[in-house]
Amino acid sequence: DAGITQSPRHKVTETGTPVTLRCHQTENHRYMYWYRQDPGHGLRLIHYSYGVKDTDKGEVSDGYSVSRSKTEDFLLTLESATSSQTSVYFCAISEGAGVMKNIQYFGAGTRLSVL
Amino acid sequence: AQKVTQAQTEISVVEKEDVTLDCVYETRDTTYYLFWYKQPPSGELVFLIRRNSFDEQNEISGRYSWNFQKSTSSFNFTITASQVVDSAVYFCALSEPGAGANSKLTFGKGITLSVRP
């Protein structure tokens, strides 16, 4: 158990509303990631963080923003949700050194439906 | 650009059959990591293995084995004597760039394995 909690686990929202998903970790990992999973696409990276207030864009970052004001929390915000953002969102953590280097461990996922 | 191809989308076998899941990757890096993850019907993603590009030894863990061949850019996964509990989606992934400290992962699209009793 990598100590990752995603909240909420399920959410239904309406088009145009802002949505924030939270990823919380308890083991002080440096790197955190947000992915979305869609049928036929596998997992695609949205944003990632390599430290407090250090974030960068991934492959599918349009329409999403992130913040990491403390080590344990990485927030993903959909500024104005659209139906194309209906997906399952996964948070992951990793370490940059040691025997566990580059292995990403995932949270349980958040299923988001935008109506 | 990095790319991971899992050409098989769905595989169905009968319990106790052996099954091989294929993974082909593209990278310009000389040092990188390859991974396999399992996603059972419950939805969580479970790490199975990480392989360093310098280590081409095959690995066996119980009924699972992995065949890494740099010459063909392949990292195939074999399940011996499959069981119903092996039913899942299996993802192959490649670190990018290389094997640096902040490497991200490029995932294949996944292979859905169904094991019938």
Side-chain angles (χ1 to χ4, degrees):
Chain A
D1 184 358
I4 307 167
T5 304
Q6 290 186 234
S7 59
R9 294 291 318 279
H10 301 273
K11 185 169 183 67
V12 180
T13 192
E14 292 186 351
T15 298
T17 60
V19 176
T20 296
L21 308 183
R22 181 187 185 222
C23 179
H24 178 78
Q25 54 131 334
T26 59
E27 298 183 8
N28 222 32
H29 297 291
R30 179 178 175 186
Y31 299 99
M32 299 185 76
Y33 310 81
W34 276 108
Y35 291 87
R36 59 179 290 174
Q37 183 180 15
D38 304 290
H41 289 278
L43 281 91
R44 294 179 292 174
L45 182 66
I46 305 171
H47 281 280
Y48 65 100
S49 170
Y50 41 98
V52 173
K53 296 187 178 167
D54 288 326
T55 64
D56 208 344
K57 296 179 180 180
E59 177 188 357
V60 290
S61 59
D62 287 348
Y64 300 95
S65 62
V66 289
S67 67
R68 192 168 179 200
S69 58
K70 43 186 179 175
T71 300
E72 58 266 35
D73 287 325
F74 191 32
L75 304 180
L76 176 71
T77 297
L78 288 64
E79 292 138 10
S80 177
T82 67
S83 58
S84 65
Q85 293 176 312
T86 293
S87 187
V88 180
Y89 291 85
F90 285 97
C91 173
I93 57 89
S94 72
E95 286 298 336
V99 295
M100 307 307 285
K101 180 181 177 183
N102 287 139
I103 299 174
Q104 292 190 16
Y105 293 95
F106 288 81
T110 294
R111 187 171 296 274
L112 176 67
S113 296
V114 183
L115 305 179
Chain B
Q2 315 265 2
K3 188 177 180 182
V4 175
T5 301
Q6 297 182 262
Q8 305 151 309
T9 54
E10 295 184 16
I11 300 175
S12 181
V13 299
V14 176
E15 208 169 18
K16 297 185 184 176
E17 282 186 35
D18 298 347
V19 58
T20 295
L21 311 181
D22 297 333
C23 174
V24 174
Y25 63 93
E26 296 175 28
T27 181
R28 293 181 180 177
D29 296 306
T30 56
T31 304
Y32 49 88
Y33 290 111
L34 292 160
F35 304 80
W36 276 94
Y37 285 84
K38 174 182 180 180
Q39 186 176 42
S42 52
E44 72 272 24
L45 283 149
V46 179
F47 164 74
L48 295 178
I49 188 172
R50 177 193 65 187
R51 171 63 71 206
N52 185 311
S53 56
F54 287 118
D55 183 1
E56 289 195 68
Q57 276 193 327
N58 290 335
E59 179 149 345
I60 298 174
S61 176
R63 296 183 297 105
Y64 294 173
S65 62
W66 289 269
N67 182 358
F68 174 37
Q69 291 196 341
K70 219 167 176 178
S71 60
T72 57
S73 297
S74 65
F75 186 42
N76 296 336
F77 174 26
T78 297
I79 301 174
T80 302
S82 60
Q83 299 177 2
V84 172
V85 294
D86 296 326
S87 296
V89 181
Y90 291 87
F91 292 97
C92 181
L94 168 68
S95 61
E96 68 163 303
N102 61 340
S103 293
K104 306 180 292 293
L105 296 185
T106 297
F107 283 84
K109 295 184 179 181
I111 302 169
T112 300
L113 174 65
S114 299
V115 182
R116 309 186 306 276

